[in-house]
Amino acid sequence: MSALSEKEARERAEWLRREIREHQYRYYVLDAPTIPDSEYDKLYRELEDIERRFPSLVTPDSPTQRVGGEVSPAFRSVPHRTPVLSLSNAFSEGEVAAFVRRVADLAGEKRSLTFVVEPKIDGLSIVLRYESGFLSLGLTRGDGLTGEDVTRNVRTVASVPLRLRELPGGVVPEFLEVRGEVYLAKDDFARLNEEREAEGLPTFANPRNAAAGSLRQLDPRVTAKRPLRALFYEVREIAMPGNSQTGLFPDPGELSGSPAATEIGSLELLKTLGFPVPTYTTATSVDDLVASIARWSELRRTLPYDTDGIVIKLDDRELARRLGSTGHSPRASLAYKFPPEQVETRVLDIILQVGRTGVLTPTAILEPVRVAGSTVSRATLHNEDIIREKDVRIGDAVILQKAGDVIPEVVSVIKEKRTGEEREFHWPDKCPACGSEVVRFPGEVAYRCTGMSCPAQLREKLIHFASRDAMDIRGLGPAVVDALVEAGLVKDAGDIYALTVEDIRALPRQGEKSTDKLISAIHESRERPLARLIFALGIRHVGQAASYSLADHFGSLDAFLAATPEELTKVPDIGPLTADSIVRSRNQPSMTELIAKLKRYGVKAAVSESRPAVGAKGPLEGQTVVITGSVPGMTRQEAEEKVRELGGTVSSSVSRKTSFVVVGDNPGSKLDKARELGIRIIPAHEFAQAVKQGRGF
Ligand code: IVH
């Protein structure tokens, strides 16, 4: 194929694009490729070659044009045309039965109802817009009203059509908005984590986080390297050219603008237009649905992606539209969540981990066991009360699960398996790391090490100080911190700035290059803005959001340190508990010494940085949260303050405006109210884990 004329090249390129698109469709949508990968690669390379030689022939929807353009500094916010809703959750068959009764009552007619059952894909919700058949916009769900423009990243996802396939009769919708899920397949996730581990990068906790992190990359070239996939399950809006009916789908009647009058019809339509869709089953009664749950509990293992439940949808979309929605969820759909996978293992030991504020966290060392996709060998036991409540002893056989499918948790002890050899855990009166006295303050569940120079506390403090969201000192990770503490070179974070090239060079495994890098990273961190420095100080209850508020409000380190408790509580996000913690901590000699050192060594605490774009005011921004029952490991006041720290609002009563209700042990009537209104329910242990990690829902 040497000297092609431009006309020949154009024709050949058009043919190749059609072929490639067709093969992509067969591969991604029909799951039935008709040529081997090598043949496909040949077609693709030929197209690339022609486009290289005739750049004027490149079209934006060419399969080769998935990545392009400049890296943008942030994602643009775009309002959704209609709210992007979520689903209310059910955790039992009883709740599914109640849902069907409710739908039947509301429907009012004595006709039979059909439900579609789909897997609940554990990924990231995405809304795509097509104009005249071409992909024009890709948005994240955001808060449901406004999303982030991730068009350039979505384009890199191979299974997302850049242009729609024609419907029979050669028509293409003039306007189309669809909703689906971007996800990582289980084995792609495992491979990605292996690669990251080999490169010394942090691994992702689960495929969902990995998919979200990948899609929200500012540089689409990074997204393109991640093996993201997508499935689509909802036609949000559709308009045919000149209102012409395709005849394919029943007359929409009142369902304005949609020829897809049923869920099944919508899925078929999506497939015809070139979108990969999830497999689904149907059910026409509660018994049917209960059988579906059992079937999908098995089927989920065979799916290439993670599912945490199934989605039950009324097939009749017109009826669904009439039923409307409560709060954030349509009345005609329900997510049934599978119970978390539980496995049996044994407690080999219970050890204490010392946190940066001196809190001693008991951790169970377990016989390694695989659960929900990874091997687990330790699980937090939270505190003394929980160990006592569950009566966990060293040597016990226990049931283990992952809370929120992420954090390993001991559910219960299998007491029947006790042999009498088990040993109760006794809380020491001395810190295992430094030998200082251990105390449990009144009103607190945690024991604390009172040592002022506890090496374990110091280690955690230093790791936090250097971490990405704090002073961001690259190269100062746990291993280097351990070596520095061991060598006695660093007694507090201030000493980091006095380290010399010789000091670092003398540490194990430090070469010339890594030493230079670390020295310059330390030097650069002197310029970090005030908010990061406040966060880096590691004051209890002062998280990232609070640090930015404090920096915005006071403008300088000195003004922050001089503020009275009254002044502190005037700052958004700062409650009396946090204010009290700030005052206590800055009065400690170790803190005054640290601050003096930081100043002496030229840490500037400038005020230039605005809040990070990601989750600007925190992941719970705009959400109203109600808490009922006890939250493990926190007092009610602490739990409420955590919500505020993460940008949410706490309310004492459940209403339609409530975003979700946190339900702990001994919940009150708020739970019934939440169920009645179909408000999202979050188990307290999931909530506790999420807020501790600064996550939302
Ligand atoms: S339907 C109006 N179907 O689960 C609600 N959602 O809250 C439309 N999800 O954020 C959602 N798989 O991102 C639907 N087959 C599926 C789904 C699915 C995953 C996600 C969706 C939503 C969350 C439920």
Side-chain angles (χ1 to χ4, degrees):
M1 62 146 206
S2 44
L4 281 181
S5 71
E6 178 153 349
K7 178 164 174 287
E8 283 165 336
R10 172 175 296 116
E11 282 166 6
R12 182 72 183 162
E14 276 166 12
W15 180 84
L16 285 165
R17 282 181 199 129
R18 261 198 313 276
E19 273 300 285
I20 291 169
R21 247 178 239 129
E22 190 61 30
H23 289 301
Q24 287 183 338
Y25 180 66
R26 288 185 191 158
Y27 182 87
Y28 289 112
V29 182
L30 305 180
D31 205 9
T34 48
I35 56 168
D37 289 2
S38 56
E39 287 287 312
Y40 171 84
D41 291 343
K42 233 163 86 191
L43 295 171
Y44 195 90
R45 274 198 305 274
E46 190 188 336
L47 178 60
E48 276 183 324
D49 188 51
I50 294 180
E51 289 180 343
R52 204 167 18 246
R53 282 191 286 157
F54 299 94
S56 63
L57 295 183
V58 178
T59 57
D61 66 316
S62 171
T64 60
Q65 299 303 300
R66 288 191 175 266
V67 193
E70 301 285 301
V71 175
S72 59
F75 298 112
R76 183 170 68 109
S77 290
V78 179
H80 288 294
R81 286 169 61 94
T82 51
V84 184
L85 303 178
S86 58
L87 297 169
S88 41
N89 289 329
F91 297 91
S92 67
E93 288 168 4
E95 285 171 273
V96 172
F99 159 77
V100 174
R101 264 199 311 278
R102 219 163 38 236
V103 171
D105 284 353
L106 288 166
E109 300 153 50
K110 282 277 159 283
R111 65 179 152 142
S112 66
L113 299 172
T114 301
F115 294 93
V116 177
V117 182
E118 293 164 12
K120 185 163 182 296
I121 305 134
D122 204 6
L124 186 77
S125 208
I126 190 92
V127 172
L128 302 185
R129 208 174 280 175
Y130 289 80
E131 285 165 82
S132 309
F134 293 93
L135 174 65
S136 60
L137 188 67
L139 296 180
T140 60
R141 174 170 185 266
D143 62 3
L145 299 175
T146 306
E148 281 177 318
D149 178 351
V150 287
T151 314
R152 285 162 357 112
N153 292 359
V154 165
R155 284 176 63 91
T156 70
V157 180
S159 51
V160 165
L162 297 180
R163 64 187 282 176
L164 300 175
R165 289 172 66 85
E166 291 173 357
L167 295 171
V171 267
V172 165
E174 200 163 72
F175 183 88
L176 176 74
E177 202 173 271
V178 298
R179 176 173 180 183
E181 206 80 1
V182 170
Y183 67 94
L184 268 176
K186 291 178 206 167
D187 50 355
D188 285 332
F189 166 71
R191 219 169 301 131
L192 178 64
N193 261 357
E194 273 165 31
E195 281 167 20
R196 290 179 69 85
E197 198 153 1
E199 286 170 37
L201 297 168
T203 53
F204 292 108
N206 54 38
R208 211 204 90 79
N209 288 5
S214 302
L215 194 71
R216 299 188 72 264
Q217 288 290 328
L218 290 174
D219 184 349
R221 282 169 304 189
V222 178
T223 310
K225 290 203 191 99
R226 305 276 169 85
L228 291 171
R229 289 175 171 254
L231 285 169
F232 295 86
Y233 47 72
E234 191 189 357
V235 177
R236 282 169 50 80
E237 234 182 298
I238 184 165
M240 288 303 181
N243 280 336
S244 78
Q245 279 290 320
T246 62
L248 242 188
F249 302 96
D251 188 338
E254 283 178 69
L255 194 63
S256 63
S258 173
T262 61
E263 284 297 333
I264 297 175
S266 302
L267 289 169
E268 295 307 320
L269 172 65
L270 283 168
K271 199 166 162 180
T272 314
L273 289 168
F275 296 95
V277 297
T279 37
Y280 60 89
T281 58
T282 57
T284 52
S285 66
V286 173
D287 287 349
D288 257 11
L289 284 171
V290 169
S292 305
I293 290 174
R295 192 156 154 225
W296 279 100
S297 307
E298 292 306 316
L299 266 180
R300 68 188 289 219
R301 289 176 224 284
T302 66
L303 296 173
Y305 46 83
D306 275 345
T307 48
D308 57 350
I310 51 175
V311 183
I312 302 170
K313 302 173 183 176
L314 185 63
D315 189 39
D316 184 338
R317 293 195 55 172
E318 164 55 14
L319 182 53
R321 191 191 62 79
R322 275 197 276 129
L323 298 187
S325 50
T326 54
H328 305 290
S329 9
R331 287 198 180 84
S333 306
L334 183 73
Y336 168 84
K337 294 286 207 74
F338 295 125
E341 184 193 351
Q342 298 191 331
V343 292
E344 184 184 330
T345 184
R346 193 166 290 280
V347 178
L348 302 177
D349 199 1
I350 295 177
I351 60 158
L352 289 173
Q353 289 191 304
V354 187
R356 68 183 145 87
T357 54
V359 170
L360 301 175
T361 306
T363 303
I365 304 295
L366 306 166
E367 211 160 77
V369 62
R370 259 193 98 71
V371 55
S374 71
T375 302
V376 170
S377 54
R378 43 173 69 207
T380 173
L381 293 170
H382 302 287
N383 54 52
E384 185 187 29
D385 293 358
I386 297 213
I387 298 187
R388 198 174 314 134
E389 222 169 82
K390 294 187 176 164
D391 189 16
V392 183
R393 301 182 192 175
I394 299 164
D396 265 337
V398 292
I399 301 285
L400 185 81
Q401 72 179 26
K402 281 194 187 163
D405 267 345
V406 183
I407 294 132
E409 175 185 70
V410 171
V411 183
S412 60
V413 172
I414 312 176
K415 299 227 169 98
E416 306 77 63
K417 293 211 170 175
R418 281 201 174 146
T419 61
E421 297 284 295
E422 295 75 17
R423 283 183 295 122
E424 264 182 62
F425 174 73
H426 291 290
W427 214 270
D429 35 7
K430 299 272 182 290
C431 167
C434 72
S436 304
E437 200 192 339
V438 162
V439 293
R440 183 172 173 170
F441 291 108
E444 281 195 6
V445 287
Y447 278 93
R448 279 167 199 283
C449 157
T450 53
M452 281 297 151
S453 48
C454 172
Q457 275 186 53
L458 175 60
R459 172 183 195 266
E460 299 304 319
K461 279 188 181 130
L462 295 173
I463 292 173
H464 171 74
F465 186 87
S467 66
R468 231 174 82 181
D469 293 333
M471 298 299 266
D472 194 15
I473 309 178
R474 301 279 160 98
L476 196 53
V480 178
V481 164
D482 282 342
L484 288 170
V485 174
E486 177 113 336
L489 286 168
V490 174
K491 298 263 185 280
D492 68 17
D495 292 339
I496 293 171
Y497 294 97
L499 291 169
T500 63
V501 173
E502 294 72 40
D503 288 339
I504 296 172
R505 206 45 227 273
L507 300 176
R509 285 183 305 278
Q510 286 291 327
E512 202 174 317
K513 235 172 140 183
S514 56
T515 302
D516 284 353
K517 271 196 181 160
L518 181 51
I519 287 283
S520 51
I522 292 172
H523 181 67
E524 280 164 24
S525 78
R526 288 188 165 90
E527 309 293 325
R528 299 280 180 258
L530 178 60
R532 281 171 173 272
L533 180 63
I534 294 178
F535 180 56
L537 293 176
I539 300 168
R540 262 191 103 199
H541 304 304
V542 180
Q544 234 185 321
S547 300
Y548 278 92
S549 300
L550 289 162
D552 284 351
H553 188 90
F554 293 108
S556 76
L557 187 60
D558 288 331
F560 163 60
L561 292 170
T564 63
E566 293 70 42
E567 281 166 346
L568 287 167
T569 45
K570 285 205 193 97
V571 181
D573 299 331
I574 307 297
L577 189 79
T578 309
D580 182 55
S581 166
I582 293 170
V583 173
R584 265 178 214 239
S585 134
R586 74 180 177 208
N587 287 342
Q588 277 177 12
S590 57
M591 185 61 88
T592 37
E593 202 177 307
L594 168 63
I595 304 269
K597 260 191 215 173
L598 291 172
K599 283 187 179 167
R600 183 146 30 95
Y601 292 135
V603 176
K604 304 217 171 49
V607 272
S608 54
E609 194 184 55
S610 53
R611 287 165 189 268
V614 181
K617 288 194 188 123
L620 297 182
E621 189 184 351
Q623 305 208 47
T624 304
V625 181
V626 174
I627 304 175
T628 176
S630 58
V631 179
M634 309 184 194
T635 63
R636 172 60 62 81
Q637 198 182 8
E638 280 171 338
E640 291 182 353
E641 216 155 275
K642 279 282 177 202
V643 170
R644 285 191 281 268
E645 225 175 69
L646 296 175
T649 312
V650 181
S651 163
S652 56
S653 60
V654 177
S655 74
R656 281 176 209 287
K657 290 206 188 91
T658 308
S659 313
F660 60 86
V661 178
V662 176
V663 178
D665 287 345
N666 308 317
S669 59
K670 289 175 201 166
L671 173 59
D672 302 327
K673 184 83 190 285
R675 288 222 168 103
E676 190 187 308
L677 294 178
I679 308 268
R680 194 170 165 203
I681 290 166
I682 302 218
H685 64 266
E686 272 185 35
F687 167 83
Q689 297 297 354
V691 295
K692 272 184 205 147
Q693 299 173 347
R695 285 190 283 119
F697 297 93

